[in-house]
Amino acid sequence: MNSRSRALAWDPTTAIEALAAADAALWVWTPALDQLQFTGSTRSLGLGPLAPECTAAAFTALAMPQDRALAERILKPQDEGGEIAVRLRMRGGDLGIWRGVWLEDGLRAAGVVALESKFTGSSADALTGLLDRRAFLSRVRDALTAPGDYDLVVADVDRLRRLNEALGHERADMVLSALGSRLAAAFSGDAAPARIGEDEFAIFVRAEEGDACGRVRQALEQPLRVAGFDIYPTVSIGAVRAEGGPDAADAAELLRRAELAVESAKGAGRGGMAAYGRTLESDSLSRLALESDLRNAFVRGEIEPFYQPIVNLETGAVAGFEALARWRHPRRGLVPPDEFLGLADEMGLMNDLGLMMMRQAASQLAEWLKRHPSAGKLFCSVNLSTNELERDGLVEDVRRIRAETGLPVGALKLEVTESDIMRDPERAAEVLKSLREAGASLALDDFGTGFSSLSYLARLPFDTLKIDRYFVLTMGQDEGSAKIVKSVVNLGRDLSLEVVAEGVENADLARLLLAANCHYGQGFGYAPALPAQEAEVYLNESLADGSAPIKARSA
């Protein structure tokens, strides 16, 4: 061997230095000895605690929880020549590519593991260990080079903001981490599970694997318990079918289409699902136009309160109304609230909407009280939107509105949800006390569906509990719902609180609620939310007849 050949020769020390420089390591697995050996850069791969050798149990234990099934795939014996190709993340390490082959009639396997980021520039989501958005797009691009049909599915976790507010970011992160683990476990190692946004997960799989949307929903919507709270996640799902090969669509474009489908699914309410179609493109443009129109709607006075009657179950008299926002669009007509309230929230308009609703509802109630003295202590409920309880000037606005309208104490009732309270119970207690001192009455809406503690309920200055409509609608057929309704009514009476049952669809439900000693009923069985003029007609007729009419049964 000449001097040049000697200079190019690789000795063991040189090989180890090269592996370290490349953030790579060699591995050899011998099942009969239960021994996995490593040589090279083990620390950056998260393999430091295992080097130079470890058992199979230690190896799987060090893998991220959602990747342990993948770790077991590396160790599962195969016939000689069987290939190993797995993306796996260890605790304390970045995402690694494990490649190898089974040797000697399947008696041992050997290969190399290297950081994926060294080759693709990708990285993992720090919270879940799944691919991040950039890494996911890189994987999708690589996969689409092979012919075949693929499904790209995006799942948006519903009401994550509410979860953050109710549990705090640290506990909400625990929920997201658990959801990431479940998503990874629901698919084979060839799939590409990812967290592509704060509340968005994605998966890219071959279409031949079956119903990807159904598997995503099944994985993510299982209940879980975090820090003593029972969480029931729901997701809105969007999907797009793609064809791989030389004419495959761009990965970023496919992801945009899937996210467009998610927006369409969210428009149908929690837990919706939609597949991408060309019509969604025009819908997206319509959404932009709707945003522009919504900003102008406040200036033009197109948003107004409609009033749904609240009836005393014992006497049948109209006791008050709940003011609900409706948008009279000049071209679209009456826009349903679920089409614009979420949009208003995204655009930061909810505080403006809440103040406007309070002013208009208080002014309308003051007029009715003057014109109909026989109506007694009529009240009007107005919902405080998320974060409005924390708005500076809220108490002063309530005090000023009462002074301008001359409403008696308690006639303006403000409704808040449990999750609004639980974001900061101590601060909420101070604000609620100030609102009571300013002359407002207070209702806790959707009681029993949030995360609150009864200890807080006893300390907060509420005068009304509202039972969620689901329990009321199902109490005739579901024994559990009936028990919940009766328990809430009894709890309310024990705490000297009035109880309003939402979802009273017919006379049978009204009778069941009356038998349970519930105070008030509200729902389509009496009337939907009505424009101010129609609501006054309803009030007049109820006063003339002596009680509010109720449907014998639902339509």
Side-chain angles (χ1 to χ4, degrees):
M1 181 182 294
N2 58 33
S3 60
R4 178 175 175 82
S5 298
R6 284 195 299 273
L8 294 176
W10 287 78
D11 59 27
T13 301
T14 304
I16 292 173
E17 289 175 348
L19 289 168
D23 283 328
L26 300 178
W27 58 268
V28 178
W29 163 234
T30 309
L33 300 177
D34 190 21
Q35 184 181 72
L36 185 61
Q37 297 173 293
F38 298 100
T39 301
S41 179
T42 54
R43 182 172 298 178
S44 62
L45 294 161
L47 300 168
L50 304 179
E53 62 186 44
C54 68
T55 64
F59 175 64
T60 55
L62 193 66
M64 292 290 285
Q66 62 266 32
D67 284 357
R68 284 176 185 162
L70 300 177
E72 292 172 354
R73 278 185 55 194
I74 296 173
L75 305 176
K76 186 176 182 180
Q78 298 183 39
D79 294 334
E80 182 175 345
E83 294 186 356
I84 296 167
V86 173
R87 284 174 167 84
L88 176 65
R89 188 179 186 223
M90 312 299 287
R91 295 183 184 273
D94 292 328
L95 189 67
I97 301 176
W98 292 71
R99 292 193 180 278
V101 66
W102 282 88
L103 308 168
E104 302 171 357
D105 294 326
L107 296 179
R108 67 189 182 108
V112 63
V113 53
L115 290 175
E116 186 179 47
S117 58
K118 284 289 182 179
F119 303 100
T120 65
S122 64
S123 58
D125 172 60
L127 179 63
T128 63
L130 304 180
L131 299 175
D132 65 10
R133 191 180 187 92
R134 185 178 64 177
F136 178 70
L137 289 173
S138 177
R139 287 284 300 276
V140 172
R141 288 189 191 99
D142 291 344
L144 287 172
T145 60
D149 289 331
Y150 299 86
D151 286 324
L152 195 161
V153 179
V154 173
D156 187 289
V157 181
D158 297 322
R159 302 202 308 169
L160 180 63
R161 182 187 298 179
R162 280 291 181 91
L163 199 64
N164 276 322
E165 292 165 349
L167 299 180
H169 287 281
E170 185 175 343
R171 289 171 176 169
D173 283 350
M174 293 171 65
V175 174
L176 291 172
S177 180
L179 294 181
S181 299
R182 291 177 174 184
L183 181 65
F187 291 88
S188 69
D190 295 330
R195 181 179 177 228
I196 59 173
E198 182 184 11
D199 55 359
E200 281 189 329
F201 292 91
I203 194 81
F204 186 76
V205 295
R206 285 188 171 273
E208 63 195 36
E209 290 202 20
D211 180 15
C213 292
R215 291 167 69 184
V216 168
R217 187 177 299 283
Q218 185 176 16
L220 298 183
E221 291 194 344
Q222 295 296 317
L224 65 157
R225 189 170 181 82
V226 172
F229 295 100
D230 291 320
I231 311 297
Y232 297 88
T234 60
V235 292
S236 298
I237 293 176
V240 61
R241 175 66 57 88
E243 185 177 345
D247 298 323
D250 179 70
E253 170 61 18
L254 288 175
L255 183 56
R256 184 192 70 83
R257 294 176 183 177
E259 290 181 320
L260 199 59
V262 168
E263 290 301 316
S264 176
K266 290 168 69 174
R270 283 190 294 164
M273 187 177 76
Y276 172 80
R278 288 294 181 186
T279 56
L280 295 184
E281 299 291 351
S282 58
D283 289 344
S284 180
L285 294 174
S286 298
R287 179 181 171 86
L288 290 175
L290 196 64
E291 289 182 7
S292 176
D293 289 347
L294 184 55
R295 290 193 185 277
N296 293 325
F298 283 85
V299 179
R300 295 192 294 255
E302 295 170 3
I303 298 178
E304 63 184 88
F306 276 33
Y307 301 89
Q308 186 171 35
I310 299 173
V311 177
N312 185 311
L313 290 168
E314 185 174 359
T315 66
V318 175
F321 294 88
E322 180 178 359
L324 300 165
R326 297 293 185 266
W327 180 11
R328 292 189 186 274
H329 194 282
R331 296 184 307 278
R332 298 170 181 249
L334 201 62
V335 180
D338 58 1
E339 288 187 21
F340 76 87
L341 288 181
L343 187 58
D345 189 22
E346 293 175 17
M347 296 169 66
L349 298 174
M350 291 303 285
N351 284 347
D352 294 333
L353 178 62
L355 180 56
M356 184 192 71
M357 289 289 291
M358 263 199 294
R359 283 175 174 161
Q360 294 190 24
S363 177
Q364 185 63 73
L365 178 60
E367 290 182 21
W368 287 340
L369 288 172
K370 291 176 184 177
R371 290 200 291 262
H372 306 283
S374 61
K377 296 181 179 180
L378 204 65
F379 65 85
C380 188
S381 295
V382 178
N383 292 283
L384 291 183
S385 62
T386 302
N387 297 325
E388 197 172 2
L389 198 62
E390 301 166 1
R391 176 173 68 82
D392 292 338
L394 172 63
V395 176
E396 289 73 15
D397 286 334
V398 170
R399 189 176 288 113
R400 183 175 59 257
I401 288 171
R402 283 197 58 244
E404 292 172 352
T405 58
L407 284 179
V409 173
L412 177 62
K413 189 184 295 284
L414 302 178
E415 296 188 7
V416 297
T417 64
E418 292 182 81
S419 55
D420 292 332
I421 300 298
M422 295 307 295
R423 284 200 308 272
D424 187 348
E426 301 302 328
R427 166 66 178 159
E430 294 177 7
V431 176
L432 293 173
K433 180 181 178 182
S434 297
L435 289 171
R436 280 292 294 268
E437 292 172 351
S441 54
L442 301 169
L444 184 58
D445 197 10
D446 297 339
F447 183 72
T449 62
F451 312 96
S452 70
S453 164
L454 292 180
S455 63
Y456 285 116
L457 181 59
R459 290 162 42 198
L460 295 171
F462 289 107
D463 51 67
T464 303
L465 290 182
K466 298 194 76 172
I467 307 175
D468 185 71
R469 67 190 306 271
Y470 170 80
F471 301 122
V472 177
L473 286 171
T474 56
M475 65 181 295
Q477 300 80 33
D478 188 311
E479 185 178 351
S481 292
K483 289 180 178 179
I484 289 173
V485 170
K486 292 177 182 176
S487 297
V488 173
V489 171
N490 291 334
L491 175 64
R493 288 188 171 274
D494 289 343
L495 296 175
S496 299
L497 303 175
E498 295 181 329
V499 181
V500 178
E502 298 181 295
V504 182
E505 301 290 295
N506 53 56
D508 289 339
L509 287 176
R511 281 192 288 269
L512 288 174
L513 290 165
L514 181 59
N517 293 317
C518 185
H519 301 93
Y520 301 106
Q522 174 183 353
F524 283 86
Y526 292 107
L530 303 168
Q533 187 175 0
E534 293 181 26
E536 186 170 10
V537 170
Y538 186 94
L539 176 62
N540 264 324
E541 292 177 348
S542 301
L543 292 172
D545 295 341
S547 65
I550 184 162
K551 297 177 182 177
R553 61 180 184 277
S554 298

